[in-house]
């Protein structure tokens, strides 16, 4: 900085800032969701795994030139399928491995989703974790792993609805009740089990 006026201290008129530029760094991250979150035992859960480049250099630019997502199916899960646009997915029990060629160079952008389908085989909390990695050094490794839980259930949720064909009615006039039973899940009513509907007349209102 300078001025046409006299300056009694010219030593502070100049300042230098130094920035270190590191090559071979890429901040990749991963998120994971599951649907449904409560699953009947024997039913399927679909995991959506999403990688992202949060900054730095291109991911997968260094040898071997691959971005890798791994997902270990723990107790309570059986593999069905895994796929994603641009990803090559394989399964070697119990690990799903999906790779895509680099470089992925668009900063602050999500990579195409990976869809993993698994069958829930246990009752209770079933956890699952996915991890993303690139050959470059990652300055924020804490966001390279994502976990999500689902609940395996053998429970059913029965619902009863009831409608009357006419109201009000006069004494001696016939009318109909329509009873509808639904299972809200998550588990089906098993073969051999019986659903029983009981009616109770003479109450106000009539009960079923």
């Amino acid at each position: 900085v300078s001025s046409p006026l006299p300056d009694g201290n010219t030593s502070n008129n100049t300042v230098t800032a130094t920035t270190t530029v590191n090559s071979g760094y890429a901040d990749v991250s991963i998120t994971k969701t599951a649907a449904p979150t409560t699953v009947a035992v024997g039913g399927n859960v679909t995991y959506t795994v999403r990688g992202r480049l949060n900054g730095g250099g291109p991911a997968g630019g260094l040898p071997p030139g691959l971005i890798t997502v791994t997902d270990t199916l723990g107790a309570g899960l059986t593999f069905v399928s895994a796929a994603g646009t641009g990803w090559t997915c394989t399964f070697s029990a119990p690990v799903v491995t999906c790779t895509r060629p680099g470089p992925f160079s668009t900063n602050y952008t999500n990579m195409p989703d990976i869809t993993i389908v698994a069958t829930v085989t246990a009752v209770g909390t079933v956890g699952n974790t996915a991890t993303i990695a690139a050959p470059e050094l990652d300055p924020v490794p804490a966001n390279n792993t994502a976990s999500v839980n689902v609940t395996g259930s053998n429970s059913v949720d029965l619902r009863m609805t009831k409608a009357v064909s006419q109201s009000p009615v006069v004494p001696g006039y016939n009318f109909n009740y329509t009873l509808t039973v639904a299972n809200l899940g998550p588990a089906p009513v098993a073969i051999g089990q019986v659903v029983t509907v009981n009616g109770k007349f003479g109450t106000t209102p009539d009960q079923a």
Side-chain angles (χ1 to χ4, degrees):
V1 67
S2 62
S3 167
L5 300 175
D7 192 326
N9 181 10
T10 58
S11 63
N12 61 4
N13 291 14
T14 301
V15 65
T16 301
T18 301
T19 300
T20 300
V21 180
N22 294 317
S23 62
Y25 280 76
D27 178 16
V28 292
S29 65
I30 196 169
T31 58
K32 184 171 190 177
T33 58
T37 54
T38 300
V39 189
V41 172
N44 289 344
V45 57
T46 299
Y47 295 105
T48 300
V49 180
R50 181 173 298 163
R52 180 178 174 86
L53 178 61
N54 290 325
L62 296 178
L66 292 174
I67 302 166
T68 302
V69 169
T70 56
D71 191 303
T72 302
L73 300 183
L77 292 172
T78 299
F79 176 77
V80 176
S81 65
T85 302
W87 295 92
T88 299
C89 295
T90 60
F91 178 68
S92 179
V95 180
V96 178
T97 302
C98 296
T99 60
R100 64 176 292 120
F104 186 88
S105 57
T106 308
N107 278 323
Y108 312 108
T109 302
N110 295 330
M111 301 174 192
D113 289 347
I114 299 169
T115 301
I116 299 174
V117 181
T119 301
V120 175
T121 60
V123 174
T125 301
V126 179
N128 186 251
T129 299
T131 301
I132 189 171
E136 292 75 21
L137 294 175
D138 194 320
V140 191
N143 60 13
N144 290 18
T145 300
S147 299
V148 65
N149 293 334
V150 300
T151 301
S153 176
N154 276 329
S155 299
V156 299
D157 179 10
L158 297 181
R159 180 184 66 187
M160 166 74 79
T161 58
K162 185 173 185 177
V164 63
S165 61
Q166 183 174 333
S167 181
V169 296
V170 297
Y173 183 85
N174 292 334
F175 60 97
N176 300 320
Y177 289 114
T178 300
L179 308 180
T180 304
V181 178
N183 178 14
L184 304 182
V189 177
I191 296 174
Q193 292 182 333
V194 177
V195 177
T196 302
V197 175
N198 294 313
K200 185 177 181 181
F201 292 96
T203 62
T204 305
D206 185 69
Q207 296 179 355

